[in-house]
Amino acid sequence: MTPRVPYLSARLQGFGTTIFAEMSALAVRTGSINLGQGFPDTDGPAAVADAAVAAIRAGHNQYPPGAGIPELRAAVADHQRRFWDMELDPESEVLITAGATEAITAALLALCEVGDEVVAFEPTYDSYRPAAAMAGATLRVVTLQAPDYGFDPAELTAAITPRTRLVLLNSPHNPTGKVFDEAELDLIARLCVEHDLLAVTDEVYEHMVFDGRHQPLAMRPGMAERTLTVSSAGKTFSFTGWKIGWACGPADLVAAVRTAKQFLTYVNGAPFQPAVVVGLGLDDAYFGEFRDTLAAKRDLLCDGLEKVGFEVHRPAGTYFATTDIRPLGFDDGIAFCRSLPERCGVVAVPSAVFYERPDGGRHLVRFTFCKRDEILTEALSRLEALS
Ligand code: PMP
Ligand code: GLN
């Protein structure tokens, strides 16, 4: 969707403006309800926001330590143990980053040589390909097949070549909402061990699983020593603009990523770091209610979209639902999303942008449901114009 950008290096041609920025700008320009870019329309817990305000007032406004404040590294290690039974040394095995985005980009820059290959699943989150390109690496994708988003094990095996450096796995998966199951994780783990590959896992939606359960790849046999686990406070605490994320795993991997991070942002988010400590320490009720509230929103949106006439691929996790627009008489998601604001006053994201394969996701459109119920209801009533 992006034209050639003058001066932009050949490595980054084609990555001009992210689809999320483009669609959010379209929503503002047309006054539409924005079910495109995934960000909540209500703030996260007041206690967490108050802690950020207090931190600014208390003078936490200068460069924090490069790896993140010790209290936050300890809180991340506690969180990984509490939810996933993962044992980490907060001193050497946890790095605080400017969101998951920086953690992933820094990981690819740190871990890949020019010419290396990275295996990922398609549809692919939008930052993976440009991040690999910046590292001089290329993505090799394995397609998750709609509507269930399973994959062919032979395709995964074939995607691994002598140049493969790592597998980049996103589960729960954006945009499909797929949660990789035990058998799939076991297969990925087995191939990583067999081919001596590293893994980088993007687990930003770890607390948004409605069916099945989230399982970090790092916990599969043979994986702890080769996996960098990435997540972000932006999703779990609904403060996407704070950009506090983390990468954890073996000290050598974390040290490598820290080296790259030093020269990207150096450090980030001084007053937000103590606030996220408060968030990570919230009781189980917070995490449970967060998930249950989103599960209800998923059903509200998905039921409504089905009534309008979309074929809905109800997600097991994340705050995104994918729809097939063909039953409504459309087949080009990009054209559909471009005309949707004018037609209905709603913005959504065409899934085609997450595919490399020609015509991949052509008739699929992603809607987010991390919005107030009344906004979702209003969007659905506007979308009835399509039926
Ligand atoms: N990975 C995935 C799959 C995402 O959906 C997002 C959401 N923006 C990110 C990474 C980036 O997270 P952050 O905002 O913490 O950089
Ligand atoms: N991850 C969010 C989404 O998928 C957007 C974040 C961004 O714009 N980088 O909608």
Side-chain angles (χ1 to χ4, degrees):
M1 290 182 105
T2 43
R4 198 171 186 287
V5 180
Y7 296 109
L8 184 63
S9 83
R11 285 191 310 284
L12 289 176
Q13 285 297 337
F15 300 124
T17 303
T18 81
I19 185 69
F20 307 122
E22 186 183 332
M23 294 326 251
S24 283
L26 180 64
V28 170
R29 208 164 57 239
T30 58
S32 297
I33 295 179
N34 187 358
L35 302 187
Q37 189 176 28
F39 62 89
D41 60 356
T42 45
D43 279 340
V48 179
D50 290 347
V53 173
I56 291 177
R57 293 282 177 223
H60 293 281
N61 300 305
Q62 311 308 329
Y63 300 128
I69 60 170
E71 296 83 351
L72 181 53
R73 281 183 273 137
V76 169
D78 289 347
H79 169 275
Q80 295 304 93
R81 182 185 313 107
R82 170 178 164 196
F83 288 99
W84 318 124
D85 284 332
M86 196 184 289
E87 287 298 331
L88 295 163
D89 169 18
E91 280 297 303
S92 61
E93 296 182 328
V94 179
L95 172 70
I96 306 306
T97 58
T101 308
E102 188 196 38
I104 293 160
T105 303
L108 297 181
L109 288 167
L111 304 173
C112 293
E113 300 293 349
V114 171
D116 279 356
E117 292 176 356
V118 170
V119 171
F121 291 88
E122 174 177 88
T124 312
Y125 181 61
D126 80 323
S127 79
Y128 296 176
R129 197 177 301 282
M134 285 192 270
T138 48
L139 231 54
R140 269 195 175 244
V141 291
V142 176
T143 301
L144 300 172
Q145 305 284 353
D148 300 325
Y149 300 107
F151 63 91
D152 177 358
E155 200 186 329
L156 176 58
T157 310
I160 299 171
T161 76
R163 312 191 95 161
T164 308
R165 175 63 164 152
L166 60 88
V167 174
L168 175 52
L169 176 71
N170 173 215
S171 181
H173 182 263
N174 178 9
T176 65
K178 173 191 176 69
V179 177
F180 283 69
D181 67 24
E182 258 174 56
E184 292 168 327
L185 294 172
D186 279 340
L187 172 66
I188 296 165
R190 186 169 59 69
L191 290 170
C192 285
V193 171
E194 236 172 70
H195 296 271
D196 197 20
L197 307 178
L198 300 174
V200 176
T201 65
D202 176 348
E203 305 185 13
V204 299
Y205 299 105
E206 60 191 331
H207 289 293
M208 302 178 202
V209 174
F210 320 120
D211 308 323
R213 66 189 181 96
H214 176 64
Q215 304 176 79
L217 183 66
M219 300 306 289
R220 314 313 292 181
M223 291 308 288
E225 60 266 41
R226 60 178 73 247
T227 303
L228 192 76
T229 303
V230 171
S231 193
S232 170
K235 311 291 168 188
T236 300
F237 303 111
S238 301
F239 290 113
T240 59
W242 288 10
K243 300 299 291 188
I244 301 293
W246 47 86
C248 29
D252 288 349
L253 281 183
V254 168
V257 179
R258 191 172 61 232
T259 305
K261 188 236 156 51
Q262 283 183 125
F263 305 111
L264 291 170
T265 51
Y266 179 51
V267 296
N268 63 283
F272 300 122
Q273 293 197 22
V276 172
V277 173
V278 173
L280 289 168
L282 290 172
D283 57 15
D284 291 350
Y286 169 74
F287 294 90
E289 275 165 31
F290 177 67
R291 185 197 56 229
D292 294 347
T293 303
L294 274 172
K297 290 183 187 298
R298 171 193 67 169
D299 292 338
L300 171 63
L301 182 73
C302 290
D303 292 348
L305 291 171
E306 265 166 12
K307 253 182 48 215
V308 169
F310 290 90
E311 180 189 316
V312 178
H313 305 162
R314 200 168 288 242
T318 77
Y319 45 46
F320 303 108
T322 297
T323 59
D324 192 323
I325 57 177
R326 284 175 295 185
L328 288 164
F330 301 91
D331 79 340
D332 180 342
I334 292 178
F336 177 85
C337 288
R338 286 224 173 99
S339 66
L340 199 57
E342 200 177 316
R343 217 186 275 267
C344 299
V346 174
V347 160
V349 167
S351 302
V353 301
F354 303 112
Y355 289 81
E356 175 182 73
R357 189 162 50 91
D359 276 354
R362 178 181 162 82
H363 40 264
L364 302 179
V365 167
R366 188 195 83 173
F367 292 87
T368 185
F369 49 84
C370 58
K371 305 291 175 185
R372 282 167 289 152
D373 288 358
E374 60 269 32
I375 297 296
L376 296 173
T377 306
E378 171 61 22
L380 288 167
S381 86
R382 294 182 183 194
L383 289 167
E384 271 164 24
L386 295 170
S387 328

